[in-house]
Amino acid sequence: ESQRKLQSVRERYWRRADQSLLLWLYECWFAGAHVDVWLDSSEAQQLGCLSQDVVIDRGLGRRAGRHSLWTRLVGSVRAAYTAEELLLRRNSWSTRLEGVEYLTELSVADILFGNTQNSRCLDDLDRACCTWDMWQALRRSAPPLYAKALSSITWNRNLKVLKLKAFIWDYRLKPSSSPQDSSSYEETQPRKQAACGDDLCTICHEELGRNSCELECGHEFHRECIRTWLLLHSSTCPICREHAVLPADIPAQNNSQPHKARPWKRSRF
């Protein structure tokens, strides 16, 4: 039983070789490492190459007693690295996926190592606010068109990182009706724009085709990706965290027509 549990943890929280440690930590938290997995020191030592980082993996079992996987991950990462060592400052990002990922890295680094109000968000990373330093780093690295979009936002210390990530992801750019002014762009809503090279499924990072499912919040994913996500990871949209239930009638993959899922109606917000 214990070995089956550990194998399940490895499969669910294993870090991809091309994934930054900060993005991996966020995904571990979002997948329930803070509430779903509790390990004693002996179990933690048997996880093996979970993070693909020898120092972090060795540190997971150092804390005595029974703790959540998240607590062990945070403790091991903090003991092994500093924010400067983990956070790769980007000079630029070009796609909305890169922008969202960079903002995620900035916020996780601030939560783990910063001396800001975000230090209180360790058990709920999506409560983090965008600090002035994060805001400056994001805007400086943004491509011109996204920088222009971000300039429409007035920064304040209560600006939520989650809302900012949703803004970046939902922002669409298309040429204006004036062919003479190629630098003029306007914002459009995601559900009104056809798929393009920047329309990716945020779960698998592959380009969306017609075999997709759009949640009620307007965010779109591959049908099987969102099915697996809602069944195994979370009952919320991976982008905006609006609650959604898995529709029992998502058509099979051989049906090429887009499908719209129904929302999980919450009693309050």
Side-chain angles (χ1 to χ4, degrees):
E1 180 65 29
S2 176
Q3 289 305 312
R4 283 198 298 270
K5 170 187 173 182
L6 293 176
Q7 182 59 29
S8 176
V9 171
R10 295 186 194 102
E11 292 173 356
R12 187 172 181 181
Y13 298 101
W14 180 77
R15 176 187 166 221
R16 301 190 309 273
D18 62 344
Q19 189 176 34
S20 76
L21 282 167
L22 292 171
L23 285 177
W24 172 69
L25 284 171
Y26 180 84
E27 290 194 4
C28 286
W29 170 82
F30 190 69
H34 59 307
V35 291
D36 293 342
V37 183
W38 294 79
L39 304 165
D40 59 32
S41 178
S42 175
E43 291 173 323
Q45 290 172 358
Q46 298 177 59
L47 287 175
C49 301
L50 191 68
S51 71
Q52 308 296 307
D53 184 291
V54 175
V55 179
I56 293 176
D57 291 329
R58 285 178 178 173
L60 294 179
R62 287 181 184 154
R63 181 175 294 195
R66 192 169 183 81
H67 302 279
S68 70
L69 175 60
W70 178 242
T71 297
R72 292 188 176 280
L73 288 173
V74 169
S76 186
V77 169
R78 281 174 163 170
Y81 295 103
T82 64
E84 291 72 21
E85 291 171 326
L86 283 184
L87 180 60
L88 178 62
R89 295 281 179 174
R90 305 192 188 197
N91 292 323
S92 64
W93 49 271
S94 56
T95 68
R96 55 187 178 149
L97 177 61
E98 292 176 355
V100 167
E101 288 181 339
Y102 187 36
L103 186 52
T104 299
E105 291 172 333
L106 289 167
S107 64
V108 173
D110 190 62
I111 290 169
L112 264 61
F113 301 100
N115 186 25
T116 69
Q117 61 179 335
N118 286 334
S119 62
R120 300 192 294 268
C121 301
L122 189 59
D123 289 327
D124 189 353
L125 304 189
D126 281 343
R127 287 179 50 236
C129 294
C130 181
T131 66
W132 176 249
D133 288 341
M134 292 163 56
W135 177 246
Q136 290 290 85
L138 181 69
R139 289 195 58 183
R140 281 196 298 263
S141 60
L145 295 177
Y146 279 98
K148 180 179 179 181
L150 291 171
S151 68
S152 67
I153 300 175
T154 301
W155 176 87
N156 66 79
R157 65 190 307 270
N158 294 317
L159 176 63
K160 294 293 185 182
V161 169
L162 182 59
K163 289 187 176 182
L164 190 52
K165 288 195 289 187
F167 174 86
I168 293 171
W169 187 262
D170 289 344
Y171 191 78
R172 292 293 195 275
L173 301 168
K174 69 175 185 181
S176 71
S177 56
S178 172
Q180 290 83 10
D181 186 5
S182 60
S183 64
S184 179
Y185 285 77
E186 63 182 12
E187 183 178 347
T188 62
Q189 294 303 312
R191 65 182 67 193
K192 295 181 180 178
Q193 177 161 318
C196 64
D198 195 22
D199 281 330
L200 304 177
C201 172
T202 57
I203 299 173
C204 69
H205 296 178
E206 297 292 333
E207 187 171 346
L208 285 169
R210 297 194 64 188
N211 185 31
S212 61
C213 176
E214 182 182 307
L215 298 181
E216 193 69 18
C217 59
H219 296 124
E220 194 173 359
F221 311 91
H222 292 130
R223 294 178 188 173
E224 289 307 309
C225 288
I226 194 59
R227 179 193 293 276
T228 302
W229 178 271
L230 294 176
L231 282 174
L232 301 181
H233 294 287
S234 173
S235 61
T236 62
C237 168
I239 296 173
C240 67
R241 305 302 185 258
E242 284 294 318
H243 284 264
V245 293
L246 177 69
D249 57 343
I250 285 186
Q253 281 190 327
N254 58 4
N255 185 338
S256 62
Q257 295 302 313
H259 179 80
K260 184 169 291 185
R262 58 191 174 92
W264 175 342
K265 299 296 185 182
R266 291 182 291 178
S267 59
R268 61 189 179 91
F269 292 84

